[in-house]
Amino acid sequence: MGIYFDEESRLFFIETKSTTMCLAVTDTEGFLNNVYYGAKIQRDNLRYLLRTGVGPFVPSVNERDRGSYLDCARMEFPSSGVGDYRPSSVTIADCAGHDSSQFLYESHRIYKGKECLYAKLPEGSNVRMPATFDGEGKAETLEITLSDDVLGIKALLSYSVFDDSDAILKSVKLVNDSDSTVIIEKLMSSCLDLDKGVWGEQTPDAVTLSGTWARERRIDRRPLQRGTTEVYSTRGETSHQFQPFMALCDRNTDDATGRIYAQTLIWSGNFICGSSMDQFDNIRSYIGINPEHFKWNLKPGESFQAPEAVLVYTEDGFDGMSHIFHDLFRDHLIRSPYLHKERPVLINNWEATYFDFNTEKLLSIASEAKKCGIEMLVMDDGWFGKRSDDNSSLGDWVVNEDKLPGGLKALSDGLEKMGMKFGIWFEPEMVSPDSDLYLAHPDWAIAVPGRKPCKMRNQYVLDITRSEVRDHVYKCVSDILKSAKISYVKWDMNRQLCDLGSTQFDPESMGRLSYLYTISVYDLQGRLLEEFPDLLLENCSGGGARYDAGMLFYSPQIWCSDDTDAYERLSIQAGTEMLYPLSTMGAHVSASPNHITGRVMPFDVRGAVALSGTFGYELDITKIPEEEREAIPGQVELYHRYGEIVREGDYFRIAREAETVYFDAWMSVLKDKSKALLTYIQCKAYPNGKARVIRLKGLDPDSSYEIKLIGTGEKKTWEAISPGALSGKTLMNAGIIVPLLPGDYAQMMFEISTI
Ligand code: GLA
C-alpha cells in the first residue's frame, strides 16, 4: 500500500489494499499515461502497456504517428486541440484565442499525508474546499507537475491513498506562470482511460443515479454504447436530476460480485460525469465541473483548484463498492462531532402544519412527542417575516411574533422545560421578491441586467459570492442561533440557479460565478460550524437535491427526499445508499395517506424503512390515530437499540423491490460481525406463493448466530419457522425462511447476533 516511483522503469505505482494504478511518462514527449488500473498486481515493468513500440504508436518518430498515438493512448490529463479527439480534461484559451494545450511531465513529489484544497473568494479570502482529509497519518500523496511551456501553465495533478481505503483521490490545480491571462474553459478533476481489453468482448454497463423532486436517485443501468453517456448538472447544485456518479461494471456484476470502476466528485455545484467509447471501443471516463456556465480567466500568478474526485475499483459488486465509499466518507470526509454519535430523534413540523403554526401548536406537538420518547422539535419553514405561504419573506430572518409571541426564546425555553431540544429551518441563500431585504437591495439577487430573472418557488437566489451579501446572510443566521438555545439547523435550498449575473464581476470574470457560488456556500457553512461547533447541521434542498459528498464535509446528515412514502423510499434510499452511508440519510415516519403519493401504509412499515437512516417523525403527533401514537415509543426504542449498527455497520443489499417486485430486504452488520439488523419489507401480497428463502450477507462464517424477530412483525408465523442457532456459513448459504405475510406492505425486522 502506498505510492512508489520506480526509478528504473519510471513508473508510478499508486496502491491501495486491493488495487493498483500505474502511471507512466512516455519516453520522448513526456505524455502522462495511465497504463493500468484494476486489481492489485506486482510492481512489474508495465511500460510495454504504453504501446509506444507498436506501429503506428511510435509518437517520437514522426508527427503522423503522434496523431495516431494521441488518438487512442490512455491519457491521464488529455488536453484539447492537439490530436486527441476524445473528450478532454482541459481546454484553455490563450490571449490570442487559440484553445489548444499540451501538458507534459515536468516533475513529481511523493509525500506522507494529504494537503487541503483551497479556493479564493473574490475579496481574496481563502476557503478550504471539501475534500477527504488525513486525520491520523494514514495518507500518502503523489503530486505530478505537468507543464504546457507554450502557454506557461502548469497542472498539478494530485493522487492520494489512505492505508485503510481502496479509493484513490484525485484533484487538479492549474497555475498560471505566464505573464498573460488565459481562459480555462474546461477542467476535469479526473480522467480514466480504460483499454477495450479491460472488458473483453463485451462492453460494460454504465450505472448512474437519476431522478427529480420526490423521486431522487433511482438506479439506472444500461450497456455502454459507442459515443458518450453523460450525467450532469447545470443547476448550481448537484440536483435532483443526477448524481455526480458513474460506475462501469461487467454485465454480470451484481450486488455481491463483479468488477466495478466507479467515480464521484466531492462537490456541490455544476458537474459533468461521463464515459465515452471511441472507434476502438476504448473508454474514457471523466468527472469534474460542468464546462457549461464556467469560464475562468486565470491571471498571471493565479491558480485554480478543481474539486476532488473519488475513484473506486472493486471486484466485490455493488455492496463492495458501497462499502468503500461509505467507509471513506465516514473515516475521511465527514468532520461533524455527531458522526459516531446517536442523533436525537426529531419531530419536524413541516408535514404536520406546513406554514400554519404558532408557539402553542408547536409546544403541544413537542409535549406529545416528548411522552413518546422523541428528543427534539424542529421548527420548519414559516417562522420569520410575514411568511404564511411560499410567496414572501425569505431574507427577512426576523421572528414572526404573531406566530411566536415572545420570540424564539419563549419557544426554546418552553421546549427546554419539557426536556426537548430545539432545531430550526433556514433557507439562507434565498430572497423573496416580496421581502424587506429585496426592497432594500434588489441588486443582491443573481440576475442579468435588463432580463427579468426567472422566479422559482417565488424566490430569487442571493449573490452570496459578494462578501457584503454573504456577511449579511451569515449574520442573520448567527444572530438567530445566538438568540435562543438551538441545537440543530436544517439548511435548505429550494430553487436552482439561472440568469447568472453578478454586479461584482467584470465581463472577463463573469464565468466565475457558478463555481464561486458553491465555494460561498462552503464558506458560510464552514464559518457557521466554526462559531457553533456543537451545532447539528442537516443539509436539504427541496428534499435531496444537494445530497452529495461536498455537503457531507459540513453536515453529517442530509434530508434524503421530500417523498416520505415508505414504498417510494425503498428505491430512493437504495440509490442513496449506493454512495452514502446510512448514517447520513434523513429518514422520517410521516402520516398516512402520504401527502405526496396518497398511498396508505401501515405505521410499522413506515417505521421499519425510516429506521435505516437518521430517524425522526414528520407528522402531527397530536392528530394521528391513538394506536400509531402508542407505537412510537417502541420505534424510538428500536432506533436507540439498533442505531449503532445502522450508523457504523456495513450495509448489504439482500433483495431489491425494483427487481423482485414483491419484496425488498437489506442488512446492516457491525464491523466486528457480532450483530446485524435485517429488514424485510413485503411490498405486495403474493398469491399462492411459498415462504421465501433469504440468504444473509456479511456475517462471520464460523460464528454461531441467533435470530430474533424484533418490533411488531408476525410473531406467531415466525415462531413456527424460526431456525434456532445457526452458523454464519449456513445463514449466508442456506439462508433463513421468511413467511409470506398477509396483505400489501408488511415488515419484519430481525436482530442477528453471535452467541
Ligand atoms: C423543502 C424541504 C422540506 C421543507 C420545505 C419548506 O421542500 O425539503 O422538508 O423544509 O422546503 O419550505
Side-chain angles (χ1 to χ4, degrees):
M1 257 174 296
I3 293 173
Y4 305 87
F5 177 64
D6 187 312
E7 295 283 350
E8 212 167 282
S9 62
R10 296 195 3 273
L11 291 171
F12 299 98
F13 290 92
I14 302 162
E15 295 177 355
T16 69
K17 262 185 305 186
S18 338
T19 74
T20 298
M21 180 182 279
C22 178
L23 307 180
V25 176
T26 62
D27 281 329
T28 320
E29 286 86 355
F31 294 118
L32 182 64
N33 281 211
N34 183 323
V35 291
Y36 176 78
Y37 182 38
K40 186 107 167 222
I41 54 173
Q42 298 296 111
R43 277 173 230 146
D44 287 327
N45 188 337
L46 301 182
R47 289 194 75 78
Y48 68 98
L49 290 171
L50 279 168
R51 299 179 185 225
T52 48
V54 187
F57 301 119
V58 194
S60 56
V61 175
N62 60 48
E63 294 298 299
R64 184 182 66 79
D65 284 350
R66 189 173 74 175
S68 299
Y69 179 75
L70 287 173
D71 214 15
C72 64
R74 294 181 57 173
M75 304 298 282
E76 196 39 32
F77 191 61
S79 54
S80 62
V82 287
D84 179 341
Y85 297 96
R86 295 163 289 177
S88 66
S89 273
V90 59
T91 307
I92 297 177
D94 66 15
C95 54
H98 311 111
D99 68 357
S100 62
S101 55
Q102 181 160 284
F103 284 89
L104 303 175
Y105 173 83
E106 189 182 279
S107 62
H108 73 267
R109 65 180 177 121
I110 295 173
Y111 62 91
K112 289 265 174 247
K114 184 172 188 291
E115 289 171 3
C116 300
L117 310 186
Y118 290 97
K120 222 187 219 19
L121 283 165
E123 76 278 4
S125 59
N126 278 322
V127 178
R128 183 173 170 192
M129 290 169 69
T132 55
F133 57 84
D134 179 26
E136 296 155 15
K138 289 183 166 171
E140 193 158 13
T141 300
L142 161 67
E143 185 184 84
I144 299 178
T145 301
L146 305 180
S147 158
D148 181 322
D149 291 339
V150 176
L151 285 171
I153 304 293
K154 290 195 191 323
L156 277 57
L157 274 50
S158 177
Y159 302 80
S160 296
V161 289
F162 295 99
D163 65 15
D164 55 3
S165 172
D166 260 326
I168 295 178
L169 293 313
K170 286 173 76 172
S171 64
V172 184
K173 180 157 105 176
L174 292 182
V175 181
N176 187 347
D177 270 352
S178 78
D179 47 21
S180 51
T181 298
V182 297
I183 313 285
I184 308 169
E185 294 178 346
K186 178 182 185 186
L187 180 62
M188 292 296 103
S189 294
S190 168
C191 166
L192 177 65
D193 277 354
L194 294 168
D195 194 276
K196 169 183 166 49
V198 168
W199 306 103
E201 284 318 301
Q202 259 189 342
T203 57
D205 280 344
V207 177
T208 53
L209 299 169
S210 72
T212 181
W213 175 75
R215 248 191 302 120
E216 293 92 338
R217 292 176 291 286
R218 304 293 165 118
I219 300 167
D220 292 330
R221 180 170 182 165
R222 68 289 208 186
L224 201 69
Q225 306 275 326
R226 247 165 250 131
T228 294
T229 303
E230 258 175 12
V231 289
Y232 58 88
S233 167
T234 52
R235 294 167 187 262
E237 59 177 350
T238 29
S239 84
H240 297 100
Q241 283 68 20
F242 293 117
Q243 273 286 306
F245 164 74
M246 185 173 285
L248 299 179
C249 62
D250 283 314
R251 294 276 171 92
N252 58 0
T253 292
D254 58 22
D255 287 332
T257 59
R259 297 185 308 161
I260 301 174
Y261 289 91
Q263 54 183 347
T264 191
L265 197 64
I266 303 177
W267 182 242
S268 313
N270 294 343
F271 70 86
I272 195 160
C273 171
S275 290
S276 172
M277 187 155 73
D278 67 11
Q279 68 275 27
F280 305 111
D281 291 348
N282 292 331
I283 293 168
R284 171 166 293 173
S285 284
Y286 46 89
I287 192 162
I289 295 169
N290 198 328
E292 195 139 336
H293 304 304
F294 171 81
K295 209 169 249 171
W296 195 276
N297 54 333
L298 192 69
K299 296 177 187 155
E302 282 186 349
S303 62
F304 177 81
Q305 179 67 57
E308 184 166 84
V310 184
L311 267 70
V312 164
Y313 172 79
T314 180
E315 299 183 349
D316 298 330
F318 289 102
D319 285 345
M321 178 196 78
S322 299
H323 294 164
I324 298 171
F325 282 122
H326 292 188
D327 287 344
L328 179 78
F329 294 161
R330 282 187 295 205
D331 296 341
H332 299 291
L333 182 68
I334 303 171
R335 300 174 299 169
S336 168
Y338 293 93
L339 170 64
H340 296 297
K341 284 197 192 139
E342 203 168 278
R343 319 286 159 77
V345 177
L346 66 84
I347 185 157
N348 178 304
N349 75 306
W350 179 240
E351 289 194 28
T353 66
Y354 295 101
F355 295 100
D356 180 20
F357 62 86
N358 54 29
T359 301
E360 200 188 331
K361 210 183 239 186
L362 293 178
L363 287 178
S364 77
I365 290 176
S367 119
E368 206 53 52
K370 170 73 188 169
K371 284 187 219 153
C372 296
I374 296 172
E375 297 150 298
M376 178 162 73
L377 175 91
V378 175
M379 178 173 62
D380 213 278
D381 192 355
W383 54 266
F384 49 91
K386 54 174 182 187
R387 192 158 167 97
S388 54
D389 52 32
D390 61 12
N391 286 313
S392 80
S393 304
L394 291 171
D396 297 345
W397 300 107
V398 179
V399 178
N400 180 338
E401 297 244 0
D402 291 339
K403 286 186 180 180
L404 307 174
L408 293 184
K409 177 111 189 13
L411 176 61
S412 74
D413 285 352
L415 290 168
E416 200 179 11
K417 229 189 271 157
M418 281 177 206
M420 286 285 276
K421 289 183 167 38
F422 178 37
I424 194 167
W425 178 97
F426 278 103
E427 200 180 351
E429 302 154 62
M430 299 293 153
V431 64
S432 305
D434 182 5
S435 66
D436 294 343
L437 183 68
Y438 189 71
L439 212 61
H441 300 287
D443 64 307
W444 280 16
I446 288 178
V448 175
R451 200 189 300 284
K452 193 164 185 283
C454 176
K455 273 194 264 176
M456 293 181 198
R457 212 194 186 207
N458 309 313
Q459 63 200 56
Y460 295 142
V461 184
L462 285 171
D463 181 8
I464 51 173
T465 66
R466 285 169 60 177
S467 61
E468 71 275 30
V469 180
R470 201 168 58 254
D471 289 347
H472 171 84
V473 163
Y474 182 75
K475 190 168 179 317
C476 290
V477 178
S478 154
D479 284 352
I480 289 286
L481 293 188
K482 281 188 276 206
S483 73
K485 217 167 165 199
I486 298 173
S487 313
Y488 160 110
V489 163
K490 177 176 173 187
W491 181 301
D492 209 340
M493 186 219 191
N494 276 321
R495 64 154 290 172
Q496 295 84 47
L497 272 63
C498 64
D499 302 298
L500 293 178
S502 166
T503 54
Q504 74 171 323
F505 293 122
D506 56 26
E508 287 72 36
S509 305
M510 197 62 78
R512 295 179 168 208
L513 179 55
S514 55
Y515 171 91
L516 287 176
Y517 182 87
T518 306
I519 298 296
S520 303
V521 173
Y522 294 149
D523 180 50
L524 282 169
Q525 296 204 356
R527 277 157 74 176
L528 195 66
L529 293 171
E530 221 169 89
E531 188 176 358
F532 304 96
D534 295 330
L535 187 72
L536 174 56
L537 184 63
E538 175 152 358
N539 268 287
C540 172
S541 176
R546 203 146 67 179
Y547 206 133
D548 58 65
M551 296 326 290
L552 289 181
F553 197 60
Y554 305 91
S555 63
Q557 59 197 59
I558 301 178
W559 183 227
C560 188
S561 173
D562 279 345
D563 191 341
T564 50
D565 175 324
Y567 171 72
E568 295 295 315
R569 276 289 180 127
L570 292 177
S571 46
I572 296 173
Q573 293 184 185
T576 306
E577 288 149 355
M578 291 281 265
L579 280 171
Y580 306 111
L582 277 59
S583 63
T584 66
M585 206 169 63
H588 299 169
V589 177
S590 63
S592 178
N594 183 269
H595 290 196
I596 286 178
T597 61
R599 189 173 280 122
V600 174
M601 171 109 28
F603 199 69
D604 63 332
V605 177
R606 285 177 266 155
V609 174
L611 279 164
S612 275
T614 58
F615 188 64
Y617 292 85
E618 187 100 10
L619 40 71
D620 188 343
I621 195 168
T622 64
K623 290 198 180 133
I624 56 173
E626 191 53 41
E627 65 273 16
E628 294 193 354
R629 203 167 25 252
E630 278 168 9
I632 292 180
Q635 289 181 341
V636 170
E637 204 263 318
L638 288 182
Y639 174 69
H640 289 310
R641 190 141 39 106
Y642 298 106
E644 188 195 349
I645 306 182
V646 172
R647 196 176 62 242
E648 312 286 345
D650 287 331
Y651 162 78
F652 293 89
R653 301 167 189 91
I654 308 289
R656 300 168 195 262
E657 181 274 342
E659 284 155 15
T660 68
V661 180
Y662 289 93
F663 67 104
D664 203 297
W666 64 92
M667 282 176 76
S668 288
V669 186
L670 274 184
K671 292 269 178 203
D672 68 5
K673 300 178 188 298
S674 64
K675 231 181 202 134
L677 179 69
L678 165 67
T679 308
Y680 170 82
I681 306 288
Q682 178 176 290
C683 303
K684 281 190 194 170
Y686 188 67
N688 192 22
K690 300 275 176 284
R692 294 185 174 104
V693 170
I694 296 284
R695 296 200 304 154
L696 306 192
K697 288 180 173 176
L699 303 175
D700 173 20
D702 300 321
S703 292
S704 212
Y705 290 89
E706 69 175 359
I707 305 151
K708 218 166 61 193
L709 179 68
I710 57 171
T712 54
E714 288 277 315
K715 277 212 174 61
K716 242 205 184 134
T717 335
W718 172 248
E719 270 157 21
I721 54 173
S722 158
L726 291 173
S727 74
K729 209 180 239 165
T730 303
L731 287 167
M732 291 192 289
N733 289 287
I736 61 167
I737 289 177
V738 288
L740 287 188
L741 303 170
D744 295 343
Y745 309 124
Q747 61 80 32
M748 292 182 97
M749 292 175 78
F750 301 94
E751 176 191 311
I752 296 144
S753 42
T754 46
I755 45 173

